[in-house]
Amino acid sequence: MFELFHPGRADRGPRTSGPNRWDWILLPLVLAVFALAAFGAMQMSRPFVVGQPTPISLDPSYLPYYLLRTMLRMFTALACSLLFSFAFAAIASKYRAAEKIMIPMLDVLQSVPILGFQAIAIAPFIALFPGNLLGVECAAIFAIFTSQAWNMAFSLYQSMRTVPPELSEASRVFCLSGWQRFWRLELPFAMPGLLWNMMMSMSGGWFFLVAAEAISVAGQDIKLPGIGAYIALAIEAENGRAIAWAICAMLAGIIMYDQLFFRPLLAWADKFRFEESQGDTAQNSWLLDWGRRSRWIRALTDRFWLKMSGALSWFSLRPDRAAAKPRTLVFGASLERAFDVLMSVLALFVAWRLFAFIHSTVGLSEAMHVVGLGLITLLRVLLLIALASLVWVPIAVWIGLRPQYSQRVQAVAQFLAAFPVNLMFPLVVYLLVTLKLSANIWLSPLMVFGTQWYILFNVVAGASTIPNELRLAADNLGLKGWLKWKRVYLPAVFPAYITGAITASGGSWNASIVAEYVTWGKTTLVANGLGSYIKQMTDAGDFHRIALGIGVMCVFVMLLNRFFWRKLYLLAEDRSL
């Protein structure tokens, strides 16, 4: 059984409490992090009135400050995404009735473009904090949250559904309650994959940063100080030098949070691996090593884990309930059928209201036109995901089986995943205009540029957990080439691949809004598709057609997930049991 809340050295008796050299080395770093966070938080809560200009400068000297504001938003959104993932996965994986609602709901939320969330959320957040910039900041954080949360929630849900039967049986033998089972079994088992998806979600936040920090509301353009607003202004001004400075600032930020946050977490999470693999001793972190040598840090962490371990007893089972046979969480057959009928009636009602809305506002001919555009985008998504899978699955398996390369590739992959497609607009516009290439074909790769990394990160995480015993058994049986991939590697990473492919598919639909409508200064390239339709209607302020485009996109994503990805997910779930 895993031990998440382990007090470490707290039971080793008294030790000297004086600081050592590692304490003095880490003290300036810790104080600097807290001081910068406090300064950035103060800047986020300043007087503000809608219509008041928010000046953004392209002077590179402002980039460290803009990077600080952006990082605060992204980490705040990441914390909210983590809490959402805990609640979503715990409920959806344990209650079948809730699962039938929550998984389709996740499909819908994943398919709604970030522009759609912003249009809904910006006014309430500004009204919640009148006369204060905090309302706009919350709207930006919410927009980044919508680009991070769905991937993390689905990853944790998938891991909790595929806990090995022997571990589930052990939890029943030890009479763990649902609360204890989550913290002592399900979350630790899911920890390696969850951390890799947190990195991917963090990178996904960069991808939509321009839309999150450059907000249009009530006819006014609000640009919050940050890298995203800096990039948006550089694109408007056609300033290639500013774009280069923004890329350098992004790289610096990614290296910092990789070394100070994700690398220590990955090294710490190695102890949660279910079975021994070559990755068990591969991850290392200089910051984690320094923290373990620091007396003050060690004492604080020991005290923290002792307090947290006491929380495990909050909802423990009584002796009489522990001895009783656990009750099933699945409804009876009659209740399940009634629930299915209720959901079917609700779906028919929603379809009828949607038909009435289309007929009375935009007309059936416009709706059929939008459905046709959706089919074009669907073809692009399927083709690009297939090509990305052929390229990145073999590479990801190779990286995951070689931990020494995994650490070297990690920061590079994070940077590529975080690279906003907007920064490629100058090169794309120049090539397409100069070579007279078709926008319908050559803008398509931009859709998968920021989402293919979901496949890479998930498959790397899956391949790194392949047990050494399984690999040695394959070698002893003489499995080589395609037979080894077919019998060992591909089945082992298949559940992780499906998780990555589902999130990559949903992200590609979102990215179509950016990729099918490219602007650089006064030059605009448009590809036929649902994404460019939504973007054009958003710029025109046509609410009815925006709603129609988003609704059609949701329908396409739900049907694709229900009849294609869901079938593959169930197959992956069966193979993992």
Side-chain angles (χ1 to χ4, degrees):
M1 195 66 62
F2 299 106
E3 188 63 60
L4 181 64
F5 301 142
H6 184 58
R9 300 173 178 81
D11 56 348
R12 292 193 176 183
R15 58 174 178 267
T16 56
S17 59
N20 58 18
R21 59 173 179 168
W22 301 104
D23 293 311
W24 295 115
I25 292 174
L26 286 174
L27 184 61
L29 178 62
V30 174
L31 291 178
V33 170
F34 278 110
L36 288 173
F39 172 75
M42 291 174 58
Q43 297 299 310
M44 294 171 70
S45 180
R46 302 177 64 180
F48 173 79
V49 178
V50 176
Q52 174 184 336
T54 51
I56 302 294
S57 173
L58 292 181
D59 187 344
S61 62
Y62 285 89
L63 278 173
Y65 171 66
Y66 293 161
L67 180 62
L68 172 64
R69 296 286 295 271
T70 293
M71 297 293 288
L72 282 177
R73 296 184 191 109
M74 295 184 71
F75 273 103
T76 303
L78 187 69
C80 296
S81 300
L82 193 61
L83 293 176
F84 170 83
S85 301
F86 285 175
F88 178 93
I91 296 173
S93 63
K94 296 178 185 298
Y95 298 92
R96 187 171 178 180
E99 180 188 28
K100 289 185 176 182
I101 300 176
M102 296 176 71
I103 296 302
M105 184 186 301
L106 191 65
D107 294 339
V108 174
L109 293 173
Q110 185 178 237
S111 63
V112 175
I114 189 173
L115 297 176
F117 284 114
Q118 269 195 340
I120 297 172
I122 182 66
F125 276 120
I126 290 180
L128 188 62
F129 300 97
N132 197 301
L133 188 63
L134 191 59
V136 186
E137 291 283 355
C138 288
I141 291 170
F142 178 74
I144 299 172
F145 165 86
T146 62
S147 67
Q148 296 178 344
W150 323 136
N151 171 53
M152 293 169 55
F154 192 80
S155 169
L156 185 56
Y157 163 79
Q158 186 264 347
S159 296
M160 292 176 64
R161 288 295 303 270
T162 57
V163 172
E166 55 268 31
L167 293 183
S168 298
E169 183 63 28
S171 70
R172 287 190 288 270
V173 170
F174 285 103
C175 302
L176 298 185
S177 65
W179 171 262
Q180 294 169 327
R181 175 185 167 90
F182 176 79
W183 292 107
R184 297 198 62 182
L185 171 59
E186 294 164 341
L187 181 58
F189 176 78
M191 188 64 70
L194 178 62
L195 286 178
W196 279 95
N197 278 279
M198 285 174 62
M199 289 192 296
M200 185 61 239
S201 295
M202 191 73 168
S203 299
W206 287 97
F207 191 77
F208 295 103
L209 199 60
V210 174
E213 293 183 349
I215 304 171
S216 296
V217 55
Q220 301 291 333
D221 290 330
I222 303 174
K223 288 183 173 62
L224 294 172
I227 300 296
Y230 185 92
I231 293 172
L233 186 61
I235 291 174
E236 292 176 5
E238 299 184 57
N239 192 327
R241 180 174 296 180
I243 293 290
W245 279 113
I247 294 174
C248 293
M250 280 180 50
L251 179 60
I254 291 168
I255 291 175
M256 282 192 295
Y257 70 65
D258 173 70
Q259 293 296 314
L260 300 180
F261 185 73
F262 284 118
R263 188 63 62 87
L265 282 178
L266 284 172
W268 170 76
D270 268 342
K271 65 181 180 179
F272 297 128
R273 299 209 179 269
F274 173 44
E275 298 181 86
E276 291 187 5
S277 66
Q278 287 191 356
D280 285 345
T281 59
Q283 291 287 349
N284 56 74
S285 166
W286 60 268
L287 183 61
L288 185 64
D289 292 339
W290 288 9
R292 286 169 173 167
R293 294 170 184 170
S294 165
R295 291 175 182 168
W296 284 351
I297 299 295
R298 194 169 64 236
L300 287 173
T301 54
D302 287 348
R303 191 169 302 174
F304 171 78
W305 290 122
L306 276 175
K307 296 291 185 182
M308 293 299 295
S309 61
L312 288 175
S313 61
W314 288 353
F315 302 101
S316 58
L317 295 177
R318 298 193 305 269
D320 56 336
R321 293 187 60 191
K325 184 178 179 180
R327 294 179 298 176
T328 179
L329 296 177
V330 181
F331 285 166
S334 59
L335 288 178
E336 285 193 18
R337 284 194 294 269
F339 180 80
D340 291 340
V341 170
L342 179 62
M343 290 295 102
S344 299
V345 171
L346 181 61
L348 290 174
F349 175 76
V350 172
W352 174 73
R353 294 297 302 170
L354 179 62
F355 178 82
F357 167 78
I358 292 173
H359 183 72
S360 61
T361 55
V362 297
L364 291 178
S365 60
E366 180 74 4
M368 295 306 297
H369 171 65
V370 175
V371 170
L373 295 177
L375 290 173
I376 296 174
T377 302
L378 172 65
L379 180 62
R380 289 195 180 108
V381 169
L382 293 178
L383 180 61
L384 292 170
I385 293 298
L387 292 175
S389 300
L390 290 175
V391 172
W392 291 114
V393 168
I395 295 175
V397 171
W398 188 87
I399 294 172
L401 296 177
R402 293 164 178 80
Q404 67 274 21
Y405 295 105
S406 177
Q407 293 188 64
R408 299 173 188 175
V409 171
Q410 178 180 318
V412 177
Q414 285 187 80
F415 174 71
L416 293 175
F419 197 87
V421 71
N422 313 70
L423 296 179
M424 301 183 66
F425 285 180
L427 178 62
V428 171
V429 171
Y430 174 77
L431 290 177
L432 266 65
V433 172
T434 303
L435 302 178
K436 298 181 180 179
L437 301 176
S438 172
N440 285 315
I441 297 175
W442 296 103
L443 286 183
S444 299
L446 295 178
M447 288 175 55
V448 79
F449 181 82
T451 58
Q452 60 187 337
W453 314 109
Y454 287 103
I455 297 174
L456 175 66
F457 274 57
N458 277 276
V459 177
V460 166
S464 65
T465 60
I466 297 178
N468 273 339
E469 292 82 356
L470 182 60
R471 300 177 61 189
L472 292 174
D475 293 338
N476 291 335
L477 292 173
L479 298 181
K480 295 181 179 179
W482 169 244
L483 184 61
K484 191 172 185 179
W485 279 84
K486 180 180 178 181
R487 298 297 184 187
V488 180
Y489 294 156
L490 292 181
V493 302
F494 189 60
Y497 165 73
I498 294 300
T499 301
I502 291 175
T503 49
S505 175
S508 296
W509 284 94
N510 256 309
S512 67
I513 297 176
V514 179
E516 293 179 349
Y517 191 90
V518 171
T519 301
W520 174 249
K522 297 180 180 179
T523 304
T524 300
L525 300 176
V526 180
N528 294 325
L530 189 56
S532 62
Y533 178 86
I534 295 175
K535 175 63 176 175
Q536 292 176 72
M537 294 303 107
T538 301
D539 292 344
D542 192 332
F543 174 78
H544 294 121
R545 285 173 171 78
I546 294 173
L548 174 63
I550 293 175
V552 171
M553 182 175 287
C554 292
V555 170
F556 269 102
V557 173
M558 288 186 65
L559 292 177
L560 182 63
N561 288 353
R562 177 66 179 84
F563 294 104
F564 182 70
W565 293 119
R566 183 64 177 170
K567 300 293 185 183
L568 293 178
Y569 174 76
L570 293 176
L571 177 62
E573 189 178 79
D574 291 339
R575 290 197 171 193
S576 65
L577 297 177

